Amino acid sequence: MPEITLHVNGREHRLDVPDRMLLTDALRDRLGLTGTHVGCEHGVCGACTVLMDDRPVRACLTLAVQAEGRRIRTVESVAPSEDALHPVQQAMRDCHGLQCGFCTPGIVMSLVALHERAEGAGTVAEEEIDETLSGHLCRCTGYRNITAAARRALGADTAPCEHAPEGADR
Amino acid sequence: MSAAPATGGTGLIGTSVLRKEDDALLRGRGRFLADLRLPGALEIAFVRSPHAHAEITRIDCAAARALPGVVAVYSWDDIRDTVSALFLEAEMRIPDQVREAIKPLSRLQPVPLLADGRVTCVGQAVVMVVAEDRYLAEDAVELVEVGYAPLPALVDPLDALAPDAPAVVPGTEDNLAISVEGRVGDVDAALAEAAFVVTERYRSHRYVASPMETRGVAVTLDPRDRSLTVFASTQTPHRLREVIAGTLRVDPDHVRVTAPDIGGGFGQKGVQYVEDVLVPYAAHRLGRAVRWIEDRTENLTSSSHAREQVHDITLAADADGRLLALRDDAVLNLGNANLTGLVVPYNTLTHVIGPYVIPALDLRVRGAVTTTMMATPYRGAGRPEAVFAMERAMDRLARKMGIEPHELRARNLVRPENMPHRTGLMYRDGTTQTYDSGNFPELLRRVVGHLKIDEIRERQRTGDVAPGKRLGVGLALYIEGTGLGPFESGSVTVLPTGRIRVATGASSQGQAHQTVFAQVAADALGVPIDRIDLREGDTGVIGHGVGTIASRSMVTAGNAIHLAALAVREQVLADASGLLGTAPEDLEIVDGIVRPVDEPEAGIDVAVLAARRAPLLVPGTSTGPGAVISETTFFKPPTVTVASAAHGAIVEVDERTGKTEILSYAIVHDCGRVVNPMVADGQVTGGVMQGIGGALYEEMEYGPDGQPRSVTYMDYLVPTAAEAPPYVLDHIETRSTLNPLGVKGLGEGGAIAPPAVIANAVEDALGPDHVHITRGPLTPSRVKDLLRAASSARH
């Protein structure tokens, strides 16, 4: 059984894992990071999306050993504090971009990657947002509010979401 | 019961309060079934049938049992003496009035937990393997050898009802498991005098609910008394407790069922499955914690399917376009078991008539057993199928008469001044089917306006369409009986800390119960919403409940909580009255403070009142039943509330590729009083997208050999954000007269109309004189087939 080093959410973990262990199982079962969800195990639904060296990957199609030495970020690392959410998370909340919430972590991770790239590059085109979201299945929301949240968080749309209250939490 | 306005005056009902659920879910702190930590838990995998229909000639588990890490391997013979077959008794209770009036046939099929000598669908569980982890369990599955002697598959429900069809269930004479009928007036006489008659056959194809979280069960066992704690991704925890206790022959008090966060259900998690019982069985027998998490292929093939129906429908009108008669003979595919009885067939029977006045009805729905995965209720539960047949027939009838489809509908809608309206049929709960309120003409008027149908017609006439594209418009209306009984529980307790604990038997799969039930309770009680904690989906917290199915939670649990909170409010006011020396009617509760209306500064926090009753905190106070401010209510709706909607779509079909693009989708929706508009809109939108998925992309297709052809998401095409059309979402509000909140059910409605709407729109685009759409999904290849057929017919 290979021993590997996983860098997850800024921490280093030494793990013995079987060759065939998926990254999802290593994150969830070994490290207790259950925010990364398993929806289809064949790379279609996107619920298991994590960032590997800042790029979104399907953790269900990635072996844990492939993540050796790479920098992994999961949804647990995204919010800046207990009192605040990441702008992507906040927009999802304000725009009612989630219902059951099962697909949500994967969507958040893909949008966070886009958000970080936008901070570097300046803008994100609507097509880029649509392209990103097309890699995720959601069965609850009908997507309308997810798209609105994504555009809002990424500055492609400055109008408030339909039911969003002014500014703060309610 | 009158539709009195709720008290409290906090304005919380009707407000888009942001969801209390979201913070944890967004941080990855949700607790879905697979997220629960069960130290040392064993894991289960199943050997499943690769055949649609076969005798089992042998099962050899020796190699699997010998694999290191494997703890147990069970076939039916290993467990049959200690368990009972799966049988959902609650689904089989038929009210006496229904039994007497329509004499329904509902043959029951108790389902053995593992295959008993034969398999009757691909994916049926044959052997259960328990191992130290899922990887090892799956290795062991590969080592189990099962011998099969294949038998002929029976896939089509009409074939299954043919006189010479072999019986799927041993010991039954044929495959007819359900038959229900409803008659009003004389349809033959009406048809004889009708000016226009259409007779059509429509097929509703097979879908899968496909929640993003698959099913799962995790069980721990208390070694002291061998009681089981079952965590399950279920919509109906109380029913599951009864099924587990009954099947495993243990006392219900020794089974606690908890639904943690649930990643979508849509009806698929509303029924109980063999795995729901087998996993607790393994825990009980082994004395260990055990869990099973379904994979996606299992979900697509071995969790219930829905929607497959064939309708032979006849619709007749007089020369003025007044509907005279409706005859519908529907056959639905039950799959390999009738597990949920009359739910879907009877919903189909009572919803085909829709929002229309039709004097003569002759309706029959039969259910056939086949060698496919069983079908159970899925979002809409028998209604989308009925609406597809009826609303397609309405379009065909309108074309035949040479009038606009919406004009034919307008002439036949039940008028608001004629509410409540009785259809003459009996509802499934044994009452006369009655539409309590609604404004169907307004629904239609608005949807026609949103679609700008006159402009579309003008563009079609003048050819103002992109080259190679065809433009079409279609609409459909429906009614939906919602808020089914028999009851739901709601309890409200003021804790000495001042927090308000609300509990109910309903459970959320994304419907924002934490928020909307808090709104209801806070409004009735006059406390801030953030002081309310909802506990739900746990048989250990509230003894009785039904669950979240059938668009029922706000109607049944919402009103139970409302009434319980009003009763608690009375107790609070009585206590405060004694302390303040002010009559209860001169007190108000604002922000959790009870205060005299004319002396607001003399208020007392409800926390103080609760603490005064708590015997351990205040010596000398009561220790009797009144020691807490608490009330539990069981709300029993008199019958269903009737929600309604009109949906419409403008589509553009590409002649070259066959692709249908929805340019705009319009919804005018009436679910009575809306508690949280943001949440309500989200529910409707999600339902519509599932309906669009079924209309254009999704199909669980079986080959003639009974092999499912859509066993991954590469083949079963759940729509993505790219397929979500621009929407218009509009509400009207006709309050229900059947409950104090005035609410109607909401969860399923969105999914009911889209298959009919889109078929109507695509047929309109392709030219209804030449193209006749009789089934979905309208995939590009099917649309191209339709275009080719139309073209060869013309040349």
Side-chain angles (χ1 to χ4, degrees), chain B residues 203-224:
Chain B
R203 277 183 185 262
S204 175
H205 61 282
R206 185 179 282 241
Y207 306 8
V208 189
S210 205
M212 294 317 302
E213 180 206 33
T214 56
R215 292 192 300 115
V217 188
V219 184
T220 60
L221 178 115
D222 187 331
R224 291 171 298 184

Side-chain angles (χ1 to χ4, degrees), chain B residues 668-718:
Chain B
V668 189
H669 190 260
D670 179 5
C671 60
R673 189 156 178 228
V674 174
V675 172
N676 184 320
M678 178 190 82
V679 168
D681 283 3
Q683 289 289 307
V684 173
T685 307
V688 168
M689 199 64 219
Q690 289 189 6
I692 289 173
L696 291 175
Y697 314 104
E698 295 175 42
E699 179 172 22
M700 173 52 70
E701 195 181 359
Y702 275 88
D705 54 356
Q707 288 294 329
R709 289 176 170 170
S710 312
V711 302
T712 72
Y713 275 157
M714 304 300 281
D715 314 294
Y716 191 85
L717 301 180
V718 173

Side-chain angles (χ1 to χ4, degrees), chain B residues 29 56 73 91 125 150 154 157 205-206 232 248 367 423 480 482 512 525 542 598 600 654 658 668 675 784:
Chain B
R29 292 181 186 163
I56 295 175
V73 181
E91 302 286 8
L154 207 45
H205 61 282
R206 185 179 282 241
L248 300 189
T423 63
E480 185 196 1
T482 55
L525 209 46
I542 195 161
D598 54 8
D654 188 313
V668 189
V675 172
K784 286 196 77 174

Side-chain angles (χ1 to χ4, degrees), chain A residues 20-22 25 28-30 32 34-42 44-45 47 75-85 88-90 92-105 108 130 133-145 147 162-165 168-170, chain B residues 15-20 22-23 25-32 34-35 37 43 133 135-136 139 208-214 262-264 266 291 294-297 378-379 509-511 677-679 681-683 685-687 689-690 693 698 711-714 716 718-722 724 727 729:
Chain A
R20 63 179 177 172
M21 178 172 269
L22 297 170
D25 291 335
R28 292 173 49 79
D29 297 341
R30 293 295 183 85
T34 54
T36 302
H37 294 153
V38 179
C40 73
E41 290 182 280
H42 51 264
V44 179
C45 79
V75 70
E76 286 91 344
S77 71
V78 169
S81 72
E82 285 296 311
D83 302 323
L85 293 169
V88 164
Q89 293 170 314
Q90 190 62 48
M92 288 282 277
R93 181 162 199 262
D94 289 344
C95 298
H96 188 29
L98 61 153
Q99 287 180 22
C100 81
F102 190 82
C103 67
T104 306
V108 166
D130 293 347
L133 291 179
S134 72
H136 290 272
L137 297 182
C138 165
R139 198 56 165 162
C140 292
T141 62
Y143 299 109
R144 187 169 69 143
N145 293 343
T147 305
E162 191 177 357
H163 295 290
D169 270 12
R170 305 253 298 254
Chain B
T15 303
S16 292
V17 174
L18 286 188
R19 301 199 331 160
K20 291 162 74 108
D22 286 352
D23 190 79
L25 293 170
L26 283 161
R27 292 173 188 267
R29 292 181 186 163
R31 277 294 169 260
F32 296 92
D35 304 339
R37 300 289 86 192
E43 295 217 46
D133 69 38
Y135 290 79
L136 293 170
D139 289 344
V208 189
S210 205
M212 294 317 302
E213 180 206 33
T214 56
I262 304 288
F266 318 116
R291 73 170 196 168
E294 186 183 57
D295 71 23
R296 183 55 59 184
T297 293
Y378 161 45
R379 203 170 196 167
Q509 303 93 44
Q511 297 95 335
M678 178 190 82
V679 168
D681 283 3
Q683 289 289 307
T685 307
M689 199 64 219
Q690 289 189 6
E698 295 175 42
V711 302
T712 72
Y713 275 157
M714 304 300 281
Y716 191 85
V718 173
T720 72
Y727 283 78
L729 180 44

Side-chain angles (χ1 to χ4, degrees), chain B residues 439-458:
Chain B
N439 189 341
F440 308 148
E442 180 65 7
L443 295 175
L444 179 63
R445 191 187 68 76
R446 289 205 202 180
V447 86
V448 167
H450 291 311
L451 293 169
K452 301 189 176 67
I453 288 182
D454 291 344
E455 280 180 29
I456 301 291
R457 293 287 177 242
E458 183 60 23

Side-chain angles (χ1 to χ4, degrees), chain A residues 1-5 14-17 68:
Chain A
M1 208 180 279
E3 189 186 40
I4 60 169
T5 302
R14 301 287 296 167
L15 295 176
D16 284 327
V17 297
E68 159 94 65

